[in-house]
Amino acid sequence: GEKDEDFDKAPKVTNKKNEILEGENEKHGGKRTGSSGNDKNSALLPNGKAPIHLEFVSFGFKYGVPSRAKGGWSHSHPLPPSDCRDLPRAPHTVAKLSGLSYQVKRVLLKTHQSECGDDSDVESPGNTGHNPLQARANEIAREGLGVLEDAISAGYGHASPLEMTIHIGSEYGRHRSVVLSEVAATALRSLLRKNENGRIKQPVSVGTRHRDVDNAHRDEEAFGMDLKREAQASKKKKEQEERAMYRTSW
C-alpha cells in the first residue's frame, strides 16, 4: 500500500525516500501527502504551516461511508462524499496493485488519444482530454477552491484555524478513489499556487489520506479477478470465432 515512488512523476529527487523538490508533492510518511509552492501570489503552504488544511480522503463504499461524512454540512465537511464508482475500473492487468502505484495511475489517466502509448497528456492537471477521471478531479478541485473561499469569508484563517475534509469513494477504496483523491489534490494545489486575482486570502495546505487502501480485502473483485475471467472468456470466444471463420473459408 505504500505510495509508488513514481506516482507523482517528479523529475528530481533529493534522497532515497524520494522527497520531491518544490512544486511537487512532498511525502510526509504513512498514507498522507502534502505540497508547497513558492509563487508570488501562491496561497499554498506545506502541511502544518497553514491555518487551513484541506484533506482529500478516499474510502470504499463496501466498508461504509465515513461517519463524519454523514453529519451534514459544515465548514469542516463542506461537500457530500463524491461517488466515483461510475468511472472505469482499473483493468485486471494492474488491479493487483493499489491506486498508490504509478502503473495504476498511468492506466486510469490514459485518454483516448494516449491509448496507443502517448502519455504526454497524462500528467497535466489542466488537460482533461477525454479522460473522465481527470475531468472529475478538476471539477472536485474547483469545488474545493470554492469551499475554501467560503470558509475564509466566514472568518477562518490565522485567527480561527480549520481542518477541512472532502471524501471520495469507490467500491473498495483501492484504485479509482485513491487516484482521484491524489489527482484532485494535485489540481487544487495548482489552483492555489496560481491563486488568480488573489481569490484565496489565507494560506492553505492540501493533503491526502486513504482509509481503505490497505484493508484486508477478501473479495476477488477488489483485485480485478472478475475482469480477468471476463477477458479470458472474451479471448477464448474470439479465438473460437476465428477458427470457425477459417474452417468455413475452406
Side-chain angles (χ1 to χ4, degrees):
E2 288 298 324
K3 190 171 180 180
D4 192 308
E5 64 182 20
D6 292 326
F7 188 91
D8 298 304
K9 206 174 180 62
K12 299 178 181 179
V13 294
T14 57
N15 55 41
K16 292 182 180 180
K17 292 184 179 180
N18 290 325
E19 180 178 353
I20 300 171
L21 295 177
E22 60 182 334
E24 295 294 337
N25 297 343
E26 295 178 355
K27 289 188 176 181
H28 294 275
K31 300 297 183 294
R32 294 173 182 263
T33 64
S35 183
S36 63
N38 294 323
D39 298 297
K40 183 178 180 180
N41 296 323
S42 176
L44 185 68
L45 286 180
N47 291 357
K49 301 294 185 180
I52 299 177
H53 179 69
L54 190 153
E55 187 171 59
F56 292 95
V57 178
S58 71
F59 69 95
F61 280 98
K62 183 79 173 180
Y63 308 109
V65 176
S67 57
R68 292 185 177 182
K70 301 177 182 178
W73 181 90
S74 68
H75 283 298
S76 295
H77 297 86
L79 298 173
S82 179
D83 187 347
C84 66
R85 287 176 291 183
D86 60 313
L87 295 176
R89 293 172 60 188
H92 70 88
T93 53
V94 297
K96 66 179 180 180
L97 304 171
S98 80
L100 294 174
S101 166
Y102 174 70
Q103 293 97 312
V104 174
K105 176 193 175 187
R106 181 176 180 272
V107 171
L108 290 182
L109 287 180
K110 276 190 175 182
T111 66
H112 293 312
Q113 292 98 325
S114 63
E115 290 294 339
C116 61
D118 178 10
D119 299 315
S120 59
D121 58 341
V122 168
E123 298 300 327
S124 174
N127 184 2
T128 62
H130 295 289
N131 181 266
L133 191 147
Q134 181 70 72
R136 186 77 57 85
N138 291 343
E139 178 183 346
I140 293 173
R142 289 191 293 268
E143 290 178 342
L145 196 70
V147 297
L148 283 169
E149 187 174 23
D150 291 342
I152 292 170
S153 297
Y156 289 99
H158 285 291
S160 182
L162 175 66
E163 290 191 2
M164 308 176 73
T165 304
I166 294 177
H167 293 92
I168 300 176
S170 56
E171 186 64 25
Y172 293 94
R174 287 199 74 236
H175 300 123
R176 291 167 292 183
S177 60
V178 173
V179 175
L180 182 55
S181 295
E182 293 289 341
V183 178
T186 297
L188 180 56
R189 292 182 189 116
S190 178
L191 292 174
L192 289 169
R193 287 191 189 97
K194 295 176 182 177
N195 195 21
E196 295 181 353
N197 301 318
R199 180 177 174 182
I200 303 301
K201 303 185 184 303
Q202 293 285 342
V204 178
S205 60
V206 178
T208 60
R209 179 163 56 88
H210 307 294
R211 190 192 74 173
D212 297 323
V213 70
D214 282 336
N215 260 3
H217 306 281
R218 297 183 179 180
D219 293 353
E220 289 185 341
E221 287 81 359
F223 303 95
M225 296 305 295
D226 57 324
L227 298 178
K228 183 176 182 179
R229 286 192 294 269
E230 290 174 7
Q232 291 173 340
S234 177
K235 180 180 179 181
K236 184 177 180 179
K237 182 179 179 181
K238 183 177 180 181
E239 291 174 347
Q240 291 173 341
E241 291 175 348
E242 289 177 348
R243 285 196 295 268
M245 291 178 61
Y246 178 76
R247 286 195 297 268
T248 56
S249 66
W250 283 89

